[in-house]
Amino acid sequence: MQEFMATSERRAELYWWFSTLFAAELSDAQIAEYDTYDVRSFLKSLSTLDPMREAVAELNEAIARLLVRPDRQLELAADFAGLFLVDPKQGALPYESLYRGEGKLLMQAPMSEMQARLDRLGINVSDKYKEPADHLAIELDLMGNLIIRAAEATTAAQRESWLGEQESLLHGHLLGWFDKFESACRAADQFGFYGASARLLGVFLKMDANYLSLVKPAQAAD
């Protein structure tokens, strides 16, 4: 159980970190954190996982370029706007509805489904995010919350239920559209910081899906 708790905290931290990356422009103080021991150690720990090694190396290269980039905060903010706040034909808007429409510009179902999920779970994100419910940052943030709820569950049945919610969100939403978003982001991001971040997140999502497929039966057997 202690191992499950520790792993849950680490998974939630990763989801929330990625959510922060895609939620808004980074401040100069946030960028400066990438030059600290804590962040370097954090990324180094991720690189010890074989599936993540190459993606972490790519992100580290992008971070090195970012730290010496003239007017780095303004330039990275411009990258963010160009990728995530413009016409979808030019950037990579981070909304599930744009990638699940089967050729249509916008599909309302993912947005409605995500809002219904938030309402059912009693989770209000309106104070934190001024975006529709199918925004990537909101889906990632919700995964972090579901992970903590599973870790804090007082019974095996509750824990199993929250693990099921995680699987449903991951397979029913994130994994169904993220590959298309990642490809669009990498193609449109000339500087490479957000493209590398998307690549690392894509690897993490697949690893986490595999983890859930293994941990659910183990928890059910406890």
Side-chain angles (χ1 to χ4, degrees):
M1 190 62 187
Q2 287 183 342
E3 182 179 352
F4 175 73
M5 294 286 289
T7 301
S8 295
E9 289 179 5
R10 185 168 177 78
R11 289 175 61 224
E13 287 173 358
L14 277 166
Y15 274 106
W16 286 330
W17 174 60
F18 281 118
S19 177
T20 299
L21 281 178
F22 293 101
E25 301 92 333
L26 296 180
S27 66
D28 196 57
Q30 288 174 309
I31 293 172
E33 290 178 1
Y34 284 87
D35 197 27
T36 63
Y37 173 81
D38 286 346
V39 174
R40 288 195 297 269
S41 297
F42 164 68
L43 292 174
K44 185 177 180 180
S45 69
L46 295 183
S47 69
T48 63
L49 303 172
D50 286 342
M52 286 190 168
R53 184 169 294 119
E54 292 184 3
V56 171
E58 182 181 337
L59 181 57
N60 277 328
E61 291 174 2
I63 290 171
R65 295 194 303 272
L66 174 62
L67 292 174
V68 297
R69 191 180 189 184
D71 297 320
R72 63 190 186 186
Q73 194 280 325
L74 292 175
E75 292 296 331
L76 191 64
D79 292 346
F80 183 95
L83 288 166
F84 308 134
L85 302 176
V86 299
D87 189 297
K89 295 180 180 179
Q90 299 177 19
L93 298 189
Y95 302 97
E96 180 181 354
S97 301
L98 295 175
Y99 301 91
R100 298 289 290 265
E102 298 180 354
K104 300 176 183 178
L105 179 61
L106 183 64
M107 184 180 182
Q108 294 292 332
M111 192 186 310
S112 300
E113 290 169 3
M114 277 300 302
Q115 187 58 59
R117 184 182 296 270
L118 290 168
D119 293 342
R120 175 173 59 80
L121 296 172
I123 296 176
N124 182 9
V125 299
S126 61
D127 293 338
K128 190 173 182 180
Y129 302 101
K130 307 302 180 184
E131 298 285 353
D134 66 328
H135 191 284
L136 175 60
I138 293 176
E139 294 189 4
L140 295 173
D141 187 273
L142 177 56
M143 274 295 293
N145 280 281
L146 295 176
I147 291 166
I148 294 303
R149 291 195 178 191
E152 293 177 345
T154 56
T155 68
Q158 289 176 350
R159 190 162 60 248
E160 180 74 7
S161 176
W162 288 118
L163 287 169
E165 291 286 354
Q166 293 170 45
E167 272 198 328
S168 177
L169 178 58
L170 193 55
H171 290 281
H173 289 274
L174 280 162
L175 288 176
W177 67 279
F178 186 81
D179 282 351
K180 294 179 181 178
F181 166 77
E182 178 188 342
S183 296
C185 183
R186 289 177 64 78
D189 184 17
Q190 295 183 2
F191 183 74
F193 175 80
Y194 287 108
S197 299
R199 179 187 179 187
L200 183 59
L201 174 54
V203 174
F204 170 62
L205 291 177
K206 292 179 176 66
M207 289 181 64
D208 203 47
N210 183 62
Y211 169 79
L212 281 174
S213 71
L214 296 173
V215 76
K216 272 197 69 183
Q219 291 297 314
D222 287 347

